[in-house]
Amino acid sequence: MQKKSAIIIGSGVAGLAIATRLAIQDMDVTVYEMNSYPGGKLSMFTKDGYNFDEGPSLFTQPGNIKDLFDAAGEPMEDYLVYRPVPIACKYFFENGKVINAYTNASSFAKELQEQTGEPEKNVTGYLQKADKLYRKIGTIFLNYSLHKRATWMHKRVFKALEAMKISYLLNTLNTYNKKQFETPEAVQIFNRFATYNGSNPYQAPAMLSVIPHLELNEGTFYPEGGMINIANALYKLALKKGVKFELNTPVQRIVHADNETQGVVANGENIMADIVVSNVDIYFTYKNLLRHPQKAKKILKQERSSSAVIFYWGITQQFPQLELHNIFFTRNYEEEFRHIFKEGKIYDDPTVYINITSKEEAAHAPAGKENWFVMINVPANTGQPWDELVNEARKHIINKLNRVLQTDITSMVESETVLTPEGIEQRTASYQGSLYGTSSNSLMSAFLRQANFSSYVKKLYHCGGSVHPGGGIPLCLKSAQITAAIIEKDLKKKRTQNH
């Protein structure tokens, strides 16, 4: 019996993962990628002796990767080695308080109590609730399609409804957090988790209080060689399973007739396949690949997630007071998010995130120096004058770091590269440079996200950060798993009907 053929458009994390999952379903799989490298946002570059991870810098839930390797019958440790990081993030406040967010709940609770006076029970209780929320409800949203009747008919849903509290539905994350904590520092730290899917804690539902569970209960990790080695491992696994890659080969459109996918056009050539999976931003999938502007326009009704401005700085000194992950908070968090989501502007006192992989691997920077990945949250690109905004942002960032670290880093920056929302859109085909597709700023956001299959065109499927369940490495891996399961079920159903 001839193998079924599958074409994957895009080799981001989800594209790489679903390529392997379909290959182990005994399909003939080919991935088409517009860039010269696989991995999507997971990429790296070297400049002036410094190594920089270009995109995502936080690694949580390595079990998702292990699940993929286990399904493929391959030992993950032969492809990827990682280790736990004891401090998930170090937080710096303008009032001089400094807090280590330990990946041990009791240690973190003790740290917050010592530094801010926040009762330990508030922190441990919050993380216990986050754990329960994840196990009872989060796993349904993250592991199954929300657009299939079978998901809602399963007994696990009834158990989840028993665990659901009205406070998760009716409160914003900020309102919920203010009821859980006594100190503004604790509220601000736990509000920050809304940014993990590009959302606003003053609008997003309290259901997002589940996110700290992933980082503070399950742990934070560092992959040896940097984040790029996650992409490398997924790529090598796909090759081992027989997946073919066509790099430097953008897909011009998806071929379909009579509401059924037939293949793609690449290099001006029709390439037929039994199924097509788009790992491309859903807006561009509809607008460019399916040539369906009405569907694309409908997607624009959903608010885009935030984007980022990133400075990759080679720093001539070492800062022992900094960790792998560091946050320098704004004085007024609510005003920062109002600027981002309401005004489409960069706030003049932005929260600054700094990732320094040379803390874990000294070879990532020249001796005695550090590689700083410096990021601020900004609005999605709607035509703002980014050159002008970046220059202003750079001044504000340096002023903040100088103030909080009590130094002057201006002369320490010997190497600089800048990435704006425009650059993110060009390199990764993320519409408007939004990092997570649509935001989660409303209760219905999860249900409004594009499903992992197309109800518009048969045999067309979707995976990646702009579709269910959302953006970020863990969710992209789950997206691939959900989509692969739907494809397997659909193909079995068709074989049964043919017999």
Side-chain angles (χ1 to χ4, degrees), residues 230-419:
I230 296 174
N232 291 341
L234 297 176
Y235 179 52
K236 290 173 186 172
L237 177 65
L239 289 173
K240 180 73 179 289
K241 294 299 154 184
V243 175
K244 295 180 284 294
F245 284 83
E246 297 292 342
L247 303 177
N248 293 306
T249 310
V251 168
Q252 280 85 47
R253 65 186 178 88
I254 295 170
V255 180
H256 58 98
D258 299 323
N259 292 329
E260 189 168 299
T261 306
Q262 296 174 328
V264 302
V265 176
N267 286 331
E269 179 186 350
N270 284 357
I271 303 156
M272 300 297 104
D274 293 302
I275 67 163
V276 173
V277 182
S278 177
N279 180 216
V280 177
D281 186 293
I282 191 63
Y283 173 80
F284 285 129
T285 297
Y286 278 119
K287 182 174 182 288
N288 299 337
L289 301 182
L290 288 170
R291 311 286 171 89
H292 201 312
Q294 290 84 8
K295 286 275 186 183
K297 195 173 180 181
K298 187 177 179 182
I299 290 164
L300 293 188
K301 292 180 181 177
Q302 299 176 51
E303 183 182 42
R304 301 302 289 176
S305 80
S306 58
S307 185
V309 166
I310 306 170
F311 296 89
Y312 305 93
W313 284 344
I315 300 290
T316 58
Q317 292 188 27
Q318 291 184 327
F319 286 76
Q321 68 270 47
L322 298 180
E323 296 289 335
L324 172 64
H325 303 287
N326 309 272
I327 283 286
F328 294 79
F329 271 126
T330 177
R331 286 190 176 95
N332 192 331
Y333 217 24
E334 188 168 8
E335 188 64 16
E336 180 178 16
F337 283 100
R338 189 181 71 78
H339 272 71
I340 293 170
F341 286 99
K342 300 298 184 186
E343 297 188 11
K345 297 178 180 177
I346 300 179
Y347 188 41
D348 60 11
D349 177 29
T351 295
V352 181
Y353 166 70
I354 302 180
N355 172 246
I356 311 171
T357 61
S358 59
K359 294 289 184 184
E360 294 290 328
E361 294 189 72
H364 283 193
K369 302 179 181 182
E370 292 182 341
N371 61 337
W372 285 18
F373 169 110
V374 182
M375 187 188 96
I376 59 171
N377 292 311
V378 304
N381 175 37
T382 55
Q384 296 94 327
W386 288 110
D387 289 344
E388 179 185 320
L389 294 178
V390 164
N391 287 334
E392 284 297 310
R394 189 182 192 278
K395 292 176 190 173
H396 294 314
I397 291 169
I398 288 178
N399 286 339
K400 175 182 283 291
L401 297 179
N402 288 348
R403 195 164 58 243
V404 177
L405 295 175
Q406 298 183 333
T407 187
D408 186 354
I409 69 165
T410 308
S411 62
M412 301 178 196
V413 181
E414 71 167 355
S415 177
E416 179 176 87
T417 303
V418 184
L419 185 61

Side-chain angles (χ1 to χ4, degrees), residues 119-135:
E120 290 185 40
K121 63 180 176 61
N122 290 354
V123 180
T124 54
Y126 188 101
L127 291 175
Q128 285 167 3
K129 281 183 268 192
D131 173 42
K132 182 180 179 182
L133 185 61
Y134 182 81
R135 286 185 291 104

